[in-house]
Amino acid sequence: MTEHDPLSVPLGVLLADSSLGLRQVAGPAGERRIGTVGTTEIEDPTPYLVGGELLLTAGVRLPPDADGIDTYVARVVAAGVAALGFGVAPVHEDVPAELIAACDRHGLPLLRLPPHTPFVAVGRATYAAIAEARNRDLKKVSQAQSALASAAARPDALQAVLTQLSAHTGTWSVLFDGRGNELFRAGRRPPEPVPALLRDLAVRTTSRPATGRAAGGQPPPAAAAHHHDGVHLTVHTLPGAAGTTTLALGQAATTATLPLVHRQVTSTATVLLSLLTSPRHALNTGSHSAGALVRLLLGATPAEVAPALVPSEHPAHDHWVVVHGRQDPHRSRQGQDPAQLATLGTALGTPYVHIDGPALRALVPCAPDTRPRVPAQAAALGWTLGFSAPSPAADLPRADARAGRALRRAIAAEVAALVHEDTAPAVHSLVSPADAREFARARFAALGGAGPPGAAVLLGTLRTWLTFHGSWDRTAAELRVHRNTVRHRLTRVAGLLGADLQDAAVRMDLWFALEWLPDNDP
C-alpha cells in the first residue's frame, strides 16, 4: 500500500473543472493523484521529471511513427508521470491515434486539452485545488486536535481520547498493555482475525528490546504496521518507566491509504496518551494535591482538605469511595510502572491511587448517591478490588475498613471486584456500637501479650482464615506463608483465646468480634 503525497489532488478534480474542458481519451479510469504540472516539447523529458506530474505537451517533437511514440510513453511512465495532457492545435488537429494506443498499452491516463485551454490555466487550477485540499485537511486536523485536547482534560481521559481518535480517523482504536489486554477501545470492532492480529502486533512491538536510548533516558517510541485483507493495522508504543514500553496504541483502518489527517491526528493522540500515562500525570503532582498534602502535614483533618481535591467541574462530588486492591503477580508483571498506574487511575476515575507492592488503595470523589463503578480494565491488569460505599470525608476511616472487607470477600469468592453493601437489618444494628467495641476488645485482650509475630499478625491470620471459610491452603497462599505457619498461628490464637476453632458458633462469634474491633486497636 502506497501512501500518497498530501500535496496532491486526484486527477478527477481537474476533469470535473468545466472551465478547463479536459477529457480523458486513453489510459485507466482509476484515480491518479497529481502533485505538479510540467510542460515539455523535447523527445526525452525523463531527466527533468520527479514523478507525480501531469505532463503537458502540444506534440511539437512527438515522434512521427508508432514505435517512437511507444518508446516516448514507456519512458515517461518509467519516470513516474501520473498523466499526460495533449493540447490540440496548432501542431495537431486532434490527439494522434498512435499516442492513444500507446497510453492504453502502458496504463497512462491521457487527457485532451481543447484549443481554448492554455497550459498555464491547467497549472493554476491544479495548484489552487491542491491548496484548497490542503486547507480542508488542516481544518480537519485542527478540529480533531481541539477535540483531543478537550478529551484529555476529562476525568476519563484515556477513554475520551480514544473515542475522539476513532471518530476523527474512522478506525477501531485500542489501548493495549504489554500482555495484549484491551484496556480501552473505541470505534466499531472489526471481525476476527483483525483484533487478534492487532493484539499480536502490539505484543511483539512492546516486547522489542529498546535501542538507541541514552543512559538513564527513555526508549524511543516504536511503531509497526501490518496489512490484512484490505485492513491497515498500525501500532505505536507509549514510553513506560525504566526503559520499558508497557502500553501501545493500536488502530485498524479499512481505508486504502492513510491520509494526512489520519497520520497527524494519530500523532497528536499518541503524544497525549503518552503524557496522560507519564509519571507526573499518573502520580498527580498538581498544585491542588500538593496544597492538600501540605495542609495535612501541618495538622488539617481529611475533612478540611478533601474539598481541595474535588474536580472543579464536579463540585457536587463531596463524597468519597475508598478502593482496596490486591494484584495477582501471575497475571501482571508491570508493578508500579507509571503508565500502568495512570491506566488504572483513569479506569477508576481518579488520580488518587497509591500502590505499595501488590496492594492498592485509592480515593474516588463522587456524588452521595453514586454507586461505585467497577472497571473491567482492573481485572485485565491483574487486580482484585474492593469498594466502599460513598462516604463523607469525615467517615473515611470507616469506609477504608469496609473497602478492606469487600476486598477480602472478593478474594475469597474469586471474583474481580465487590462493593460493600449496607444491608439491613443486620446483627450490628442490634448492638450498641460502644458495647460492641468493648466486647471486641475484651474478646481479644488475651492476644495483647502474645510474643512474635505479635497480636496484629495473629489477628490478621485469623481474619484471613475465617474469610476463606477455614481453608488452610488458601489462607497460606493469601498471606504468602507455609500452611504449617498458618496452623501454628491459629493454634496459638485458639490457646490464648480458649476457643475451639472447629466449632462453627465460635467461628461466628470471633468473626463478629473482628468486625467490631476498632481499626486502630489490634
Side-chain angles (χ1 to χ4, degrees), residues 11-12 14-28 54 83-88 93-95 100 108-117 122:
L11 181 58
L14 302 180
L15 292 171
D17 189 339
S18 59
S19 66
L20 297 177
L22 305 180
R23 180 165 57 90
Q24 185 170 348
V25 296
L54 170 57
L84 183 65
F86 193 89
V88 299
E93 294 184 0
D94 208 341
V95 182
I100 294 175
L108 178 66
L110 175 62
L111 310 184
R112 180 186 186 276
L113 278 67
H116 67 269
T117 301
V122 177

Side-chain angles (χ1 to χ4, degrees), residues 427-428 431 433 436-440 509 511-518:
V427 175
H428 298 285
V431 182
R437 285 192 293 270
E438 186 59 34
F439 164 74
D509 176 67
W511 177 257
F512 284 126
L514 283 170
E515 293 295 290
W516 283 319
L517 189 67

